[in-house]
Amino acid sequence: MKQNEILGLREGPSAGDQSGVMNRRAYRRLPSTHLIDESDIYGRDVDKERVVEILLSQNMGCRNQLPMDVIAVTGMGGMGKTTLARLVYEDPRMKDHFQHKAWVCVSEEFDVDCVTKAILQSLSCPTEQDFHSNQSKLKETLKGKTLFLVLDDVWNENCQIWEVFTAPLRQVAPQSKILITTRNKIVAEVMCCAFTYPLKPLQDGDCCNLFVKHAFNNQPDAVGPDLVRIGKEIIKKCGGLPLAIKTLGSLLHIKLSFQHWNKILKSEFWALSEDHSNIVPSLRLSYHYLPSNLKRCFAYCSIFPKDYDIDKNVLIQLWMADGLIYPTQRSTSLEETGDEIFNDLESRSFFEPSKKGGDYFIMHDLLNDLAKSVAGEFFVSLDAAQVQDMSTKTRYFSYIRCKSDNVDIFEKVLKCHQLRSFIHFGSYEFGVGNDIMSRLCCLKYIRQLSLKRSPNLRSLTAGISNLKHLHYLDLSYTSVEKLPNSMCLLINLQTLKLRGCGDLTELPSNLYKLINLRHLDLKGCDIRKMPRGMGKLNQLQTMNKFVVAKKGGSNIKELGAFNHLTGSLTISNMEHVSDPTDMREANLKEKKLDKLTLLYQGDSYSREKARRQEHVLEAVEPNQSVEELVVKGYRGTRFPKWLLGVAHFLPNLVCLCLSGNNDVSLLPPLGELRFLRTLVIYQLGGIKVIGEEFYGNGSSIAQPFPSLLYLEFSRMDEWEEWDICYEGQSFPRLEQLCIYNCPRLTKSLPQHLPCLKTLVISGCGNLEATLPRSSSMENLSLGECTKISVKDMPTWSISDVLPPLHDLSLWRCPAMESLPQGGMLSSLQRLTIHWCSKVIACGRDWGLHELLSLKELGISDDVMEWFPEEERLLPPNLQSLSFNYCTNLRRINHRGLVHLHSLTSLSFRWCHQVSFEGMPEEDALPPSLSHLTIGYGCPLLKERCEKEKGPDWPKIAHIPHVDMKTLDSLKGTSSILIHNRC
């Protein structure tokens, strides 16, 4: 205390100030995922079974105006409420019991409009801008249906908000349920919960198991007994909180030292009052023992909203822009140092992988709170309603949404003259416009400026050159059409993101002056050529697009200066590279790229151009690091040596796409690629036979294509024969085989594909082949295959291993007379039959009534006049029935529909003679119908079903959602596809 007086220290809104956190709570969370990895969960089996039992039980006597129970799972942060809700949500019993399921992450601000939209999106329903329209749509969609709704992380204590939100839910089926998770028991009272389930801490045994996994990597015997003993003492101090155990266990795993563990055990942080800090002491302890550089980087993460999918690479670039990263002896670049820091934080459980996959991660709510606590008043993440709470000392500002692009909203922000970071995380409707952008240029200390998803931003003022300290600029998905040359005075700029700026056709001519630029994102931009002098940007680490200029721009050889280029690179206008020497000077061989795309354009063809492209492509020679390679539009007649010896030159290739519209007659030996998972070959017009060379050089290859999962051939106009070599050995893991528009292909198809799940054959009118036999087939689609008949299809008997075929699509197969018999269709869920006249004419022989798993049936035919012909033709569990381009269909036999008690959707499109004439006014259609769509090209049906006027209106009046589409509704459409049947 004496030292405190001498130094003049005073308490402020920093690490220990609860109010500094709580006043900035309204962060709108993006929808959390309900998917979960159960291998990391301990001790919640009993809780899960109890909650499932409650949800599946009869209603307990509602305490509110809803015909459904609301159940609350309560408990302090880090207890595992969301985890338990995820376990329940993913339980198969939920899917069987409820007709609809929806998951919404609510967080601190209960925005009724946003939550309503989120539910509609979960139900695969389109949303409107108007709140009342969305509520009406939700009401119609759920009327009479059972719903299981999870509202995760609810804080709302306002009963009026709850009443407005639940208004559309008052006509759901009585057995519907809402499950909420909340830290606040008052919330359960406001929502009139029928049952509250308080989640208790983990039992000692489960705590130990979880701790052992993260601290000892599930190997407690590999460490000394002293560490095990101290570990048990530390576990007791975590209070049974899974998050605390997991985080602290990861921290201790970093250093398996008795002295280090003992020091943490005796730390004074355990005595810190939780009421005072609002952070679990064990989590604060984990932060305390971070190295100082990791502390700063972790605190920076307070700019992110809760439950936000954080792109690891973007975060590292932001750290770099803020000067938080310094090279180390182990790393050679700032990016590598940032990667080390991130991996260190992840290993300590400060981040966990997002279900979005890839390089995306999330932070737990409590860790997000911890970051905001330690960041103090200098970091502010808020929305428009809280601008008045900002301090002029704010250095880092991020926001999710604002009600409008109004200058007044940002008045407080613009008064923060020392602002270093301005980041927009929101959606398109809440971006900034030109006016705000021009005013931000007055904040001369800004280092990070992200205006991503701001459609009203169309231009940059020349005043952007005032931002001398700017290191990071993100203009992705804006409407910017041109960048001023003054922007090229920002010599400290490290990262420039222009992704999705479709209106941007050129870059500033002085771009070469940005000598410190390290990351340039041009994906989705319509750049016509690169400006001159690009080679001067020799610090570039990533640049995903380079457009070769025919004249007046950068030559391909300027790529040679980018010695550190990594990641993905697309080179467009490859046809403008005429000199192989220039291509070699680009030095792609030394660039450790993951993905390389080479795009050729232009339809003109000559032998001279083809020969030139051959020489240039020979000079490309990618680095062996390439995992994805795309060569599109190539007009040469042969592939280069490095592609013919692909297994040697590109051993790590995972994905390959080759196209050309040329006279190439020989494919590379692609079967030798051990790791190849995706292969697409299209428009190689010179290929007539695919034979042994495709599988490998010579007969020494033991198992061609050992890892291939997806294989596609498309628009191979001259292809006649597939010589099936190595039958029984090749394609051991192939899951999808697609063949499109190969009109001359006559034979044959691989027969031994044990893992095949999806087979699509379309536009192969001369193919006469037996379809592959697979015990794992799920989806089969045959289109315009005039010679494939039912005799060519597998007709496995019940005694065979039945393939669980879920989806069957038949498209213009005139030789086919009936559906395959036997067990092949026993698990069929979706069936579409388009213009297979003989099949449709024999409808009574389909055996559809026996397909109890069939949920969706779609029919297109220009002969059928009456459907269904038999009263019991359709299976009883059918949910969706659609008719498209049935130009002669006149009558629907209502007697064939009345037994369909599960039918919810009926639709007609381009059926211009159909009507409900002849049906009785009562019980004409199943009472379960909730959606009737009368699409384009059904004038008679539309006229007769006109609301309260048409003679058929009484027959459909009971259907909640009737959607009538006319050609007038196409007004304003940017493009229309006219089907060839029209």
Side-chain angles (χ1 to χ4, degrees), residues 907-976:
S907 65
F908 300 87
R909 294 177 179 85
W910 300 105
C911 303
H912 54 265
Q913 299 189 61
V914 74
S915 74
F916 293 145
E917 187 176 4
M919 287 187 179
E921 289 196 2
E922 295 183 2
D923 301 324
L925 295 170
S928 59
L929 268 179
S930 59
H931 287 76
L932 171 63
T933 301
I934 302 175
Y936 307 120
C938 302
L940 181 60
L941 188 59
K942 175 182 177 295
E943 178 184 352
R944 293 185 60 87
C945 291
E946 187 177 359
K947 186 174 183 180
E948 298 178 356
K949 295 181 180 179
D952 287 341
W953 168 251
K955 305 169 186 177
I956 67 168
H958 68 285
I959 302 176
H961 188 71
V962 177
D963 185 11
M964 294 193 188
K965 298 184 183 296
T966 65
L967 291 177
D968 290 340
S969 62
L970 291 176
K971 290 180 179 178
T973 303
S974 59
S975 62
I976 300 176

Side-chain angles (χ1 to χ4, degrees), residues 803-824:
L805 189 63
H806 294 161
D807 197 329
L808 174 60
S809 176
L810 304 176
W811 184 284
R812 290 207 187 100
C813 300
M816 191 171 293
E817 299 180 356
S818 65
L819 296 179
Q821 303 299 310
M824 184 179 181

Side-chain angles (χ1 to χ4, degrees), residues 597-661:
T597 301
L598 306 174
L599 302 181
Y600 296 81
Q601 296 181 0
D603 296 327
S604 60
Y605 175 78
S606 68
R607 180 58 191 147
E608 180 184 354
K609 289 182 179 179
R611 190 180 299 110
R612 186 164 58 240
Q613 289 190 13
E614 291 170 8
H615 294 322
V616 169
L617 189 60
E618 187 73 61
V620 171
E621 290 192 55
N623 189 280
Q624 288 192 345
S625 63
V626 170
E627 296 180 356
E628 296 185 42
L629 174 65
V630 177
V631 181
K632 184 177 180 181
Y634 173 60
R635 304 302 295 269
T637 60
R638 60 179 175 83
F639 286 118
K641 293 178 182 178
W642 57 264
L643 197 49
L644 293 176
V646 65
H648 171 71
F649 289 100
L650 299 174
N652 299 308
L653 212 57
V654 172
C655 178
L656 176 63
C657 177
L658 299 176
S659 80
N661 188 24

Side-chain angles (χ1 to χ4, degrees), residues 337-567:
T337 304
D339 195 61
E340 291 175 2
I341 291 173
F342 187 93
N343 292 339
D344 200 343
L345 287 170
E346 185 196 2
S347 69
R348 300 166 190 258
S349 298
F350 283 89
F351 296 105
E352 57 187 64
S354 165
K355 293 300 180 182
K356 193 172 182 178
D359 288 329
Y360 286 92
F361 294 81
I362 59 173
M363 297 172 64
H364 189 278
D365 286 359
L366 281 183
L367 290 168
N368 189 283
D369 285 340
L370 175 62
K372 288 175 170 58
S373 173
V374 299
E377 65 179 337
F378 296 105
F379 287 74
V380 174
S381 176
L382 41 71
D383 68 5
Q386 296 171 304
V387 173
Q388 65 272 15
D389 297 330
M390 284 186 61
S391 164
T392 55
K393 296 180 181 180
T394 298
R395 298 290 188 273
Y396 303 88
F397 171 78
S398 65
Y399 77 100
I400 298 278
R401 66 189 189 91
C402 292
K403 298 302 180 185
S404 65
D405 185 12
N406 187 313
V407 178
D408 294 338
I409 291 176
F410 299 103
E411 284 299 332
K412 280 275 189 177
V413 180
L414 296 168
K415 289 180 181 179
C416 301
H417 300 297
Q418 304 296 319
L419 196 69
R420 297 177 63 141
S421 178
F422 182 98
I423 299 181
H424 172 226
F425 285 116
S427 59
Y428 290 97
E429 57 186 316
F430 300 120
V432 304
N434 295 347
D435 194 9
I436 296 297
M437 174 64 214
S438 62
R439 299 191 64 185
L440 286 171
C441 291
C442 298
L443 302 175
K444 60 182 181 178
Y445 296 108
I446 281 188
R447 298 172 69 100
Q448 304 142 330
L449 179 59
S450 175
L451 306 176
K452 186 176 181 180
R453 295 191 181 92
S454 295
N456 293 326
L457 182 60
R458 294 180 172 83
S459 63
L460 298 184
T461 174
I464 195 173
S465 60
N466 296 329
L467 306 182
K468 303 294 185 184
H469 298 282
L470 194 63
H471 285 61
Y472 180 97
L473 177 61
D474 190 350
L475 302 174
S476 300
Y477 306 106
T478 63
S479 300
V480 170
E481 299 175 356
K482 189 175 181 180
L483 300 175
N485 255 324
S486 61
M487 193 187 78
C488 300
L489 298 176
L490 304 175
I491 59 171
N492 290 308
L493 196 65
Q494 296 175 337
T495 301
L496 176 59
K497 293 181 177 292
L498 302 169
R499 176 171 295 224
C501 295
D503 297 327
L504 187 64
T505 58
E506 62 178 330
L507 296 172
S509 59
N510 292 335
L511 192 73
Y512 66 89
K513 293 184 178 181
L514 300 178
I515 57 175
N516 289 303
L517 197 64
R518 304 173 70 89
H519 303 280
L520 178 59
D521 188 348
L522 299 174
K523 186 174 182 180
C525 297
D526 191 21
I527 303 296
R528 309 296 168 81
K529 65 179 180 180
M530 309 302 284
R532 292 181 182 273
M534 287 292 293
K536 295 182 180 180
L537 305 179
N538 55 16
Q539 298 298 313
L540 276 176
Q541 309 284 311
T542 60
M543 179 182 64
N544 48 25
K545 186 173 185 177
F546 187 91
V547 185
V548 182
K550 188 172 184 179
K551 59 180 180 179
S554 282
N555 187 287
I556 189 69
K557 62 184 180 182
E558 296 205 50
L559 280 174
F562 306 148
N563 297 323
H564 310 293
L565 208 60
T566 60

